[in-house]
Amino acid sequence: MDHLIFAILGALVAAALVWARTRFAGFLAQRPEDYAESAPRFDIRRHLNGPLVCDGVIYGPTGRVASRFTGEFDVSWDGNTGEMRERFDYDSGAVQHRAWHLTLGNDGRIRARAEDVVGDGEGVQSGSAVRLKYRLRLPEASGGHVLDTTDWMYLTPAGTIVNRSQFRKYGIKVAELVATMRRKDAA
């Protein structure tokens, strides 16, 4: 009986440690305030504007590369309202299109909408970073699941944007994406 109690306590302690690491030391522990004083300052109207190219990988739940892709974006702004049209070409031969409709508030907050996003995505610019959170509905061919998504975009001194995203279902990470975005004329 004592072994069972120790096993249960050990499992609870292990679960608490995993939760604490994720909450206080992992990807999700980042806050926009962490980057408030960092430079160069990320202005989505300036840095996500015009033709952009993208290269990236998607890691599956085991941490291995599940897919590689290239992308082309065309982004235009009218004041604080923008549209970002994306085309992704995957190593599998699949092609995906998405159109984001972005609204930037005077306080740096971002509202983002897309056809495969459930509700509105919410984000914020802070120093050299942008965080965006949204619920992404996968295509039916991929199961049609809705994943909680957190995107972090970091502006490098040379103007390249490094994007890191995590996708979660029931709080469990099921995929991660790492990509770079840069102006097409700089490619």
Side-chain angles (χ1 to χ4, degrees):
M1 184 68 150
D2 287 340
H3 294 297
L4 179 60
I5 291 171
F6 284 120
I8 292 171
L9 287 175
L12 289 173
V13 168
L17 290 172
V18 168
W19 175 83
R21 181 187 178 280
T22 300
R23 177 71 174 103
F24 299 110
F27 177 78
L28 296 179
Q30 297 178 89
R31 300 169 315 171
E33 300 82 40
D34 296 339
Y35 301 99
E37 301 304 317
S38 63
R41 302 210 53 84
F42 197 145
D43 179 349
I44 64 170
R45 293 168 300 185
R46 179 172 160 226
H47 297 103
L48 290 178
N49 195 10
L52 303 170
V53 293
C54 174
D55 293 292
V57 294
I58 299 172
Y59 301 90
T62 64
R64 291 181 178 84
V65 173
S67 181
R68 296 167 292 147
F69 63 88
T70 60
E72 292 194 11
F73 304 166
D74 186 26
V75 190
S76 60
W77 289 87
D78 183 10
N80 283 357
T81 304
E83 181 179 52
M84 181 165 61
R85 296 197 165 278
E86 302 172 327
R87 175 194 164 108
F88 295 101
D89 294 290
Y90 294 91
D91 58 350
S92 66
V95 176
Q96 180 185 25
H97 296 270
R98 177 180 294 119
W100 285 98
H101 302 279
L102 306 167
T103 304
L104 178 62
N106 292 331
D107 60 354
R109 298 213 176 269
I110 303 161
R111 186 178 73 212
R113 295 181 180 173
E115 189 173 305
D116 55 354
V117 171
V118 178
D120 287 353
E122 296 180 355
V124 64
Q125 299 181 133
S126 185
S128 63
V130 170
R131 182 191 67 195
L132 185 62
K133 292 184 171 190
Y134 53 95
R135 300 192 66 208
L136 181 69
R137 182 178 309 281
L138 296 177
E140 285 303 318
S142 299
H145 300 280
V146 175
L147 303 178
D148 295 318
T149 306
T150 301
D151 290 346
W152 275 97
M153 291 177 270
Y154 311 96
L155 182 63
T156 69
T160 297
I161 299 166
V162 177
N163 183 89
R164 182 177 176 201
S165 304
Q166 287 190 352
F167 305 88
R168 294 178 179 269
K169 181 78 174 181
Y170 305 120
I172 299 168
K173 182 173 72 169
V174 296
E176 184 165 350
L177 175 149
V178 176
T180 60
M181 295 177 271
R182 62 199 176 285
R183 297 189 73 68
K184 192 171 189 172
D185 55 15

Coordinates of all heavy atoms in Angstrom, one line a residue, residues 9-80:
L9 N 2.1 9.9 -5.3 CA 2.7 11.2 -4.9 C 3.8 11.6 -5.9 O 4.0 12.7 -6.3 CB 3.3 11.1 -3.5 CG 2.2 11.2 -2.4 CD1 2.9 11.0 -1.0 CD2 1.5 12.5 -2.4
G10 N 4.6 10.6 -6.3 CA 5.7 10.8 -7.3 C 5.1 11.3 -8.6 O 5.7 12.3 -9.2
A11 N 4.0 10.7 -9.0 CA 3.4 11.2 -10.3 C 2.8 12.6 -10.2 O 3.0 13.4 -11.1 CB 2.3 10.2 -10.7
L12 N 2.3 12.9 -9.0 CA 1.7 14.3 -8.8 C 2.9 15.3 -8.8 O 2.7 16.4 -9.3 CB 0.9 14.3 -7.5 CG -0.4 13.6 -7.5 CD1 -1.0 13.6 -6.1 CD2 -1.4 14.3 -8.5
V13 N 4.0 15.0 -8.1 CA 5.1 15.9 -8.1 C 5.7 16.1 -9.5 O 6.0 17.2 -9.9 CB 6.2 15.3 -7.1 CG1 7.5 16.1 -7.3 CG2 5.7 15.4 -5.7
A14 N 5.8 15.0 -10.3 CA 6.3 15.1 -11.6 C 5.4 16.0 -12.5 O 5.9 16.8 -13.2 CB 6.5 13.7 -12.2
A15 N 4.1 15.8 -12.3 CA 3.1 16.6 -13.1 C 3.3 18.1 -12.7 O 3.2 19.0 -13.5 CB 1.7 16.1 -12.9
A16 N 3.4 18.3 -11.4 CA 3.5 19.7 -10.9 C 4.8 20.3 -11.5 O 4.8 21.5 -11.8 CB 3.5 19.7 -9.4
L17 N 5.9 19.6 -11.5 CA 7.2 20.1 -12.0 C 7.1 20.4 -13.5 O 7.6 21.5 -14.0 CB 8.3 19.2 -11.8 CG 8.7 19.0 -10.3 CD1 9.8 17.9 -10.1 CD2 9.3 20.4 -9.8
V18 N 6.4 19.6 -14.3 CA 6.2 19.8 -15.7 C 5.4 21.1 -15.9 O 5.7 21.9 -16.7 CB 5.6 18.6 -16.4 CG1 5.1 18.9 -17.8 CG2 6.6 17.5 -16.5
W19 N 4.3 21.2 -15.2 CA 3.4 22.4 -15.2 C 4.2 23.6 -14.9 O 4.1 24.6 -15.6 CB 2.2 22.2 -14.3 CG 1.4 23.5 -14.3 CD1 0.4 23.8 -15.2 CD2 1.5 24.5 -13.4 NE1 -0.1 25.0 -14.9 CE2 0.5 25.5 -13.7 CE3 2.2 24.7 -12.2 CZ2 0.3 26.7 -13.0 CZ3 2.0 25.9 -11.5 CH2 1.1 26.9 -11.9
A20 N 5.0 23.6 -13.8 CA 5.7 24.8 -13.4 C 6.8 25.2 -14.4 O 6.9 26.4 -14.7 CB 6.4 24.5 -12.0
R21 N 7.4 24.2 -15.0 CA 8.4 24.5 -16.1 C 7.7 25.2 -17.2 O 8.2 26.2 -17.8 CB 9.2 23.3 -16.5 CG 10.2 23.6 -17.6 CD 10.8 22.3 -18.2 NE 11.8 22.7 -19.2 CZ 11.4 23.0 -20.5 NH1 10.2 23.0 -20.8 NH2 12.4 23.2 -21.3
T22 N 6.6 24.6 -17.7 CA 5.9 25.2 -18.8 C 5.4 26.6 -18.5 O 5.5 27.5 -19.3 CB 4.7 24.3 -19.2 OG1 5.2 23.0 -19.5 CG2 3.9 24.9 -20.4
R23 N 4.9 26.8 -17.3 CA 4.3 28.1 -16.9 C 5.3 29.2 -16.7 O 5.1 30.3 -17.0 CB 3.4 27.8 -15.7 CG 2.8 29.1 -15.1 CD 1.7 29.6 -16.0 NE 1.0 30.7 -15.5 CZ 1.1 31.9 -15.8 NH1 2.0 32.2 -16.8 NH2 0.4 32.9 -15.2
F24 N 6.4 28.8 -16.1 CA 7.4 29.8 -15.6 C 8.7 29.8 -16.4 O 9.4 30.8 -16.3 CB 7.7 29.7 -14.1 CG 6.4 29.8 -13.3 CD1 5.9 28.7 -12.7 CD2 5.8 31.0 -13.2 CE1 4.7 28.9 -11.9 CE2 4.6 31.2 -12.5 CZ 4.1 30.1 -11.8
A25 N 9.0 28.8 -17.2 CA 10.3 28.8 -17.8 C 10.2 28.4 -19.3 O 11.3 28.4 -20.0 CB 11.3 27.8 -17.1
G26 N 9.1 28.1 -19.8 CA 9.0 27.6 -21.2 C 8.5 28.7 -22.2 O 8.4 29.8 -21.8
F27 N 8.2 28.2 -23.4 CA 7.8 29.1 -24.4 C 6.6 29.9 -24.0 O 6.5 31.1 -24.3 CB 7.4 28.2 -25.6 CG 6.8 28.9 -26.8 CD1 7.6 29.6 -27.7 CD2 5.4 28.9 -27.1 CE1 7.1 30.3 -28.8 CE2 4.9 29.6 -28.1 CZ 5.7 30.3 -29.0
L28 N 5.6 29.3 -23.3 CA 4.4 30.0 -22.9 C 4.6 31.0 -21.8 O 3.7 31.8 -21.5 CB 3.3 29.0 -22.5 CG 2.8 28.1 -23.7 CD1 1.7 27.2 -23.1 CD2 2.3 28.9 -24.8
A29 N 5.8 31.0 -21.1 CA 6.1 31.9 -20.0 C 6.4 33.3 -20.5 O 6.5 34.2 -19.8 CB 7.2 31.3 -19.2
Q30 N 6.7 33.4 -21.8 CA 7.1 34.7 -22.4 C 5.9 35.7 -22.3 O 4.8 35.3 -22.4 CB 7.5 34.6 -23.9 CG 8.7 33.7 -24.2 CD 8.9 33.7 -25.6 OE1 9.6 34.5 -26.2 NE2 8.3 32.7 -26.3
R31 N 6.2 36.9 -22.0 CA 5.2 38.0 -22.0 C 5.7 39.1 -22.9 O 6.9 39.4 -23.0 CB 5.0 38.5 -20.6 CG 4.6 37.4 -19.6 CD 4.7 37.9 -18.2 NE 6.0 38.6 -18.1 CZ 6.4 39.4 -17.1 NH1 5.6 39.5 -16.0 NH2 7.5 39.9 -17.0
P32 N 4.8 39.8 -23.5 CA 5.2 41.0 -24.3 C 6.1 42.0 -23.5 O 7.0 42.5 -24.1 CB 3.8 41.6 -24.7 CG 2.9 40.5 -24.7 CD 3.3 39.6 -23.6
E33 N 5.8 42.1 -22.2 CA 6.6 43.1 -21.4 C 8.1 42.7 -21.4 O 8.9 43.5 -21.2 CB 6.1 43.1 -20.0 CG 4.6 43.5 -19.9 CD 3.6 42.4 -20.1 OE1 3.8 41.3 -19.7 OE2 2.6 42.7 -20.8
D34 N 8.4 41.4 -21.6 CA 9.8 40.9 -21.6 C 10.6 41.6 -22.7 O 11.8 41.6 -22.6 CB 9.8 39.4 -21.8 CG 9.2 38.6 -20.6 OD1 9.1 39.2 -19.5 OD2 8.8 37.4 -20.9
Y35 N 9.9 42.0 -23.7 CA 10.6 42.6 -24.9 C 10.4 44.1 -25.1 O 10.8 44.7 -26.1 CB 10.1 41.9 -26.2 CG 10.4 40.4 -26.1 CD1 9.4 39.5 -25.7 CD2 11.7 39.9 -26.3 CE1 9.7 38.1 -25.6 CE2 12.0 38.5 -26.1 CZ 11.0 37.7 -25.8 OH 11.2 36.3 -25.7
A36 N 9.7 44.7 -24.1 CA 9.3 46.1 -24.3 C 10.4 47.1 -24.6 O 10.3 48.0 -25.3 CB 8.5 46.6 -23.0
E37 N 11.6 46.8 -24.0 CA 12.7 47.7 -24.2 C 13.7 47.3 -25.3 O 14.7 47.9 -25.5 CB 13.5 47.9 -22.9 CG 12.6 48.5 -21.7 CD 11.9 49.8 -22.1 OE1 12.6 50.7 -22.7 OE2 10.8 50.0 -21.8
S38 N 13.4 46.2 -25.9 CA 14.3 45.6 -26.9 C 14.2 46.3 -28.3 O 13.2 46.9 -28.6 CB 14.1 44.1 -27.1 OG 12.8 43.9 -27.6
A39 N 15.3 46.3 -29.0 CA 15.3 47.0 -30.3 C 15.9 46.0 -31.3 O 16.6 45.1 -31.0 CB 16.2 48.3 -30.2
P40 N 15.6 46.2 -32.6 CA 14.8 47.3 -33.2 C 13.3 47.1 -32.9 O 12.9 46.0 -32.7 CB 15.1 47.2 -34.7 CG 15.5 45.7 -34.9 CD 16.1 45.3 -33.6
R41 N 12.6 48.2 -32.9 CA 11.2 48.1 -32.6 C 10.4 47.5 -33.8 O 10.6 47.9 -34.9 CB 10.6 49.5 -32.3 CG 11.4 50.1 -31.1 CD 10.7 51.0 -30.2 NE 9.5 50.7 -29.6 CZ 9.3 50.0 -28.5 NH1 10.3 49.5 -27.9 NH2 8.1 49.9 -28.0
F42 N 9.5 46.6 -33.5 CA 8.7 45.9 -34.5 C 7.4 46.7 -34.7 O 6.7 46.8 -33.8 CB 8.4 44.5 -34.0 CG 8.0 43.5 -35.0 CD1 8.3 42.2 -34.9 CD2 7.2 43.8 -36.1 CE1 7.9 41.2 -35.8 CE2 6.8 42.9 -37.0 CZ 7.1 41.6 -36.8
D43 N 7.3 47.2 -35.9 CA 6.0 47.8 -36.3 C 5.4 47.0 -37.5 O 6.0 47.0 -38.6 CB 6.3 49.3 -36.8 CG 5.1 50.0 -37.3 OD1 4.0 49.4 -37.4 OD2 5.1 51.2 -37.5
I44 N 4.3 46.3 -37.2 CA 3.8 45.4 -38.2 C 3.4 46.1 -39.5 O 3.5 45.5 -40.6 CB 2.7 44.5 -37.7 CG1 1.4 45.4 -37.3 CG2 3.1 43.6 -36.6 CD1 0.2 44.5 -37.0
R45 N 3.1 47.4 -39.4 CA 2.7 48.1 -40.7 C 4.0 48.4 -41.5 O 3.9 48.5 -42.7 CB 2.1 49.5 -40.3 CG 0.7 49.3 -39.7 CD 0.3 50.6 -39.1 NE 1.3 51.0 -38.1 CZ 1.1 52.1 -37.4 NH1 0.1 52.9 -37.5 NH2 2.1 52.4 -36.5
R46 N 5.1 48.4 -40.9 CA 6.4 48.6 -41.7 C 7.0 47.3 -42.0 O 7.5 47.0 -43.1 CB 7.3 49.4 -40.8 CG 8.6 49.7 -41.5 CD 9.5 50.7 -40.8 NE 10.9 50.5 -41.2 CZ 11.9 50.5 -40.4 NH1 11.7 50.6 -39.1 NH2 13.1 50.3 -40.9
H47 N 7.2 46.4 -41.0 CA 7.9 45.1 -41.2 C 7.1 44.0 -41.8 O 7.7 43.1 -42.4 CB 8.6 44.7 -39.9 CG 9.5 45.7 -39.4 ND1 9.2 46.6 -38.4 CD2 10.8 46.0 -39.8 CE1 10.3 47.4 -38.2 NE2 11.2 47.1 -39.0
L48 N 5.8 44.0 -41.7 CA 5.0 43.1 -42.4 C 4.2 43.9 -43.5 O 3.0 44.2 -43.3 CB 4.0 42.4 -41.5 CG 4.6 41.4 -40.5 CD1 3.5 40.8 -39.6 CD2 5.3 40.2 -41.2
N49 N 4.9 44.2 -44.5 CA 4.4 45.1 -45.6 C 5.1 44.8 -46.9 O 6.3 44.5 -46.9 CB 4.6 46.6 -45.2 CG 3.7 47.5 -46.0 OD1 2.8 47.0 -46.8 ND2 4.0 48.8 -46.0
G50 N 4.3 44.7 -47.9 CA 4.8 44.4 -49.3 C 5.0 43.0 -49.5 O 4.5 42.1 -48.7
P51 N 5.8 42.6 -50.5 CA 6.0 41.2 -50.8 C 7.1 40.6 -49.8 O 8.1 41.2 -49.6 CB 6.5 41.2 -52.2 CG 7.1 42.5 -52.4 CD 6.3 43.5 -51.5
L52 N 6.8 39.5 -49.2 CA 7.7 38.8 -48.3 C 7.8 37.3 -48.7 O 6.9 36.8 -49.3 CB 7.1 38.8 -46.8 CG 6.8 40.2 -46.2 CD1 6.0 40.0 -44.9 CD2 8.1 41.0 -46.0
V53 N 9.0 36.8 -48.3 CA 9.2 35.3 -48.6 C 9.4 34.7 -47.2 O 9.9 35.3 -46.2 CB 10.3 35.0 -49.5 CG1 10.0 35.5 -50.9 CG2 11.6 35.6 -49.0
C54 N 9.1 33.4 -47.1 CA 9.1 32.7 -45.9 C 9.7 31.3 -46.1 O 9.4 30.7 -47.1 CB 7.7 32.6 -45.3 SG 7.4 31.6 -43.9
D55 N 10.5 30.8 -45.2 CA 11.0 29.4 -45.2 C 10.8 28.9 -43.8 O 11.0 29.6 -42.8 CB 12.5 29.4 -45.5 CG 12.7 29.8 -46.9 OD1 12.3 29.1 -47.8 OD2 13.4 30.9 -47.1
G56 N 10.3 27.6 -43.7 CA 10.1 27.1 -42.3 C 10.0 25.6 -42.3 O 9.9 24.9 -43.3
V57 N 9.9 25.2 -41.0 CA 9.7 23.7 -40.7 C 8.6 23.6 -39.6 O 8.4 24.5 -38.8 CB 11.0 23.0 -40.2 CG1 12.0 23.0 -41.3 CG2 11.5 23.7 -39.0
I58 N 7.9 22.5 -39.7 CA 6.9 22.2 -38.7 C 7.4 20.9 -38.0 O 7.7 19.9 -38.6 CB 5.5 22.0 -39.3 CG1 5.1 23.3 -39.9 CG2 4.5 21.5 -38.2 CD1 3.8 23.1 -40.7
Y59 N 7.5 20.9 -36.7 CA 7.9 19.8 -35.9 C 6.6 19.1 -35.3 O 5.7 19.8 -34.9 CB 8.7 20.2 -34.7 CG 10.0 20.9 -35.1 CD1 10.0 22.3 -35.2 CD2 11.2 20.2 -35.3 CE1 11.2 23.0 -35.6 CE2 12.3 20.9 -35.7 CZ 12.4 22.2 -35.9 OH 13.5 22.9 -36.2
G60 N 6.6 17.8 -35.4 CA 5.4 17.1 -34.8 C 5.6 16.9 -33.3 O 6.5 17.5 -32.7
P61 N 4.7 16.2 -32.7 CA 4.6 16.0 -31.2 C 5.9 15.4 -30.6 O 6.2 15.5 -29.5 CB 3.4 15.2 -30.9 CG 3.0 14.6 -32.2 CD 3.6 15.5 -33.3
T62 N 6.6 14.6 -31.5 CA 7.8 14.0 -31.0 C 9.1 14.8 -31.1 O 10.2 14.4 -30.7 CB 8.1 12.6 -31.7 OG1 8.3 12.9 -33.1 CG2 6.9 11.7 -31.6
G63 N 8.9 16.0 -31.7 CA 10.1 16.9 -31.9 C 10.8 16.7 -33.2 O 11.7 17.5 -33.5
R64 N 10.4 15.8 -34.0 CA 11.0 15.6 -35.3 C 10.3 16.4 -36.4 O 9.1 16.7 -36.3 CB 10.9 14.1 -35.7 CG 11.7 13.2 -34.9 CD 11.6 11.7 -35.3 NE 12.5 10.9 -34.5 CZ 12.2 10.4 -33.3 NH1 11.0 10.7 -32.8 NH2 13.0 9.6 -32.7
V65 N 11.0 16.8 -37.4 CA 10.5 17.6 -38.5 C 9.4 16.7 -39.2 O 9.6 15.6 -39.7 CB 11.5 18.0 -39.5 CG1 10.9 18.7 -40.7 CG2 12.5 18.9 -38.9
A66 N 8.2 17.3 -39.2 CA 7.0 16.7 -39.9 C 6.8 17.2 -41.3 O 6.2 16.5 -42.1 CB 5.8 16.8 -39.0
S67 N 7.2 18.5 -41.5 CA 6.9 19.1 -42.8 C 7.9 20.3 -42.9 O 8.3 21.0 -42.0 CB 5.5 19.6 -42.8 OG 5.2 20.2 -44.0
R68 N 8.2 20.6 -44.2 CA 9.0 21.8 -44.5 C 8.2 22.6 -45.5 O 7.4 22.0 -46.3 CB 10.3 21.4 -45.1 CG 11.2 20.7 -44.1 CD 12.4 20.0 -44.8 NE 11.9 18.9 -45.6 CZ 12.4 18.5 -46.8 NH1 13.5 19.1 -47.2 NH2 11.9 17.6 -47.5
F69 N 8.4 23.9 -45.6 CA 7.6 24.7 -46.5 C 8.3 26.0 -46.9 O 9.2 26.4 -46.2 CB 6.2 25.1 -45.8 CG 6.3 25.9 -44.6 CD1 6.4 27.3 -44.6 CD2 6.4 25.3 -43.3 CE1 6.5 28.1 -43.5 CE2 6.5 26.1 -42.2 CZ 6.5 27.4 -42.2
T70 N 7.8 26.6 -48.0 CA 8.2 27.9 -48.4 C 6.9 28.7 -48.5 O 5.8 28.1 -48.7 CB 9.0 28.0 -49.7 OG1 8.2 27.4 -50.7 CG2 10.3 27.2 -49.6
G71 N 7.0 30.0 -48.4 CA 5.8 30.8 -48.5 C 6.1 32.1 -49.2 O 7.2 32.6 -49.2
E72 N 5.0 32.7 -49.8 CA 5.1 34.0 -50.3 C 3.9 34.8 -49.8 O 2.8 34.3 -49.8 CB 5.0 34.0 -51.8 CG 6.3 33.4 -52.4 CD 6.4 33.7 -53.9 OE1 5.6 34.5 -54.5 OE2 7.3 33.1 -54.5
F73 N 4.2 36.0 -49.2 CA 3.1 36.8 -48.6 C 3.1 38.1 -49.4 O 4.1 38.6 -49.9 CB 3.4 37.2 -47.2 CG 3.7 36.0 -46.3 CD1 4.3 36.2 -45.0 CD2 3.4 34.7 -46.6 CE1 4.5 35.2 -44.2 CE2 3.6 33.7 -45.7 CZ 4.1 33.9 -44.5
D74 N 1.9 38.7 -49.5 CA 1.7 40.0 -50.1 C 0.9 40.8 -49.0 O -0.3 40.4 -48.7 CB 1.0 40.0 -51.4 CG 0.9 41.3 -52.0 OD1 1.8 42.2 -51.7 OD2 0.0 41.6 -52.8
V75 N 1.4 41.8 -48.4 CA 0.8 42.5 -47.3 C 0.6 44.0 -47.7 O 1.5 44.6 -48.2 CB 1.7 42.4 -46.1 CG1 0.9 42.9 -44.9 CG2 2.2 41.0 -45.8
S76 N -0.6 44.5 -47.5 CA -0.8 45.9 -47.7 C -1.6 46.5 -46.5 O -2.4 45.8 -45.9 CB -1.6 46.1 -49.0 OG -2.9 45.4 -48.9
W77 N -1.4 47.8 -46.3 CA -2.0 48.5 -45.2 C -2.7 49.7 -45.7 O -2.2 50.4 -46.6 CB -0.9 48.9 -44.2 CG -0.4 47.7 -43.4 CD1 0.7 46.9 -43.8 CD2 -0.9 47.2 -42.2 NE1 0.8 45.9 -42.8 CE2 -0.1 46.1 -41.9 CE3 -1.9 47.6 -41.4 CZ2 -0.4 45.3 -40.7 CZ3 -2.2 46.8 -40.2 CH2 -1.4 45.7 -39.9
D78 N -3.8 50.1 -45.1 CA -4.5 51.3 -45.2 C -4.7 51.9 -43.8 O -5.6 51.5 -43.1 CB -5.8 51.1 -45.9 CG -6.6 52.4 -46.2 OD1 -6.0 53.5 -46.0 OD2 -7.8 52.3 -46.6
G79 N -3.8 52.7 -43.4 CA -3.8 53.2 -42.0 C -3.5 52.0 -41.1 O -2.4 51.4 -41.2
N80 N -4.4 51.8 -40.2 CA -4.2 50.7 -39.2 C -4.9 49.4 -39.6 O -5.1 48.5 -38.7 CB -4.7 51.2 -37.8 CG -3.7 52.1 -37.1 OD1 -2.6 52.4 -37.6 ND2 -4.1 52.6 -36.0

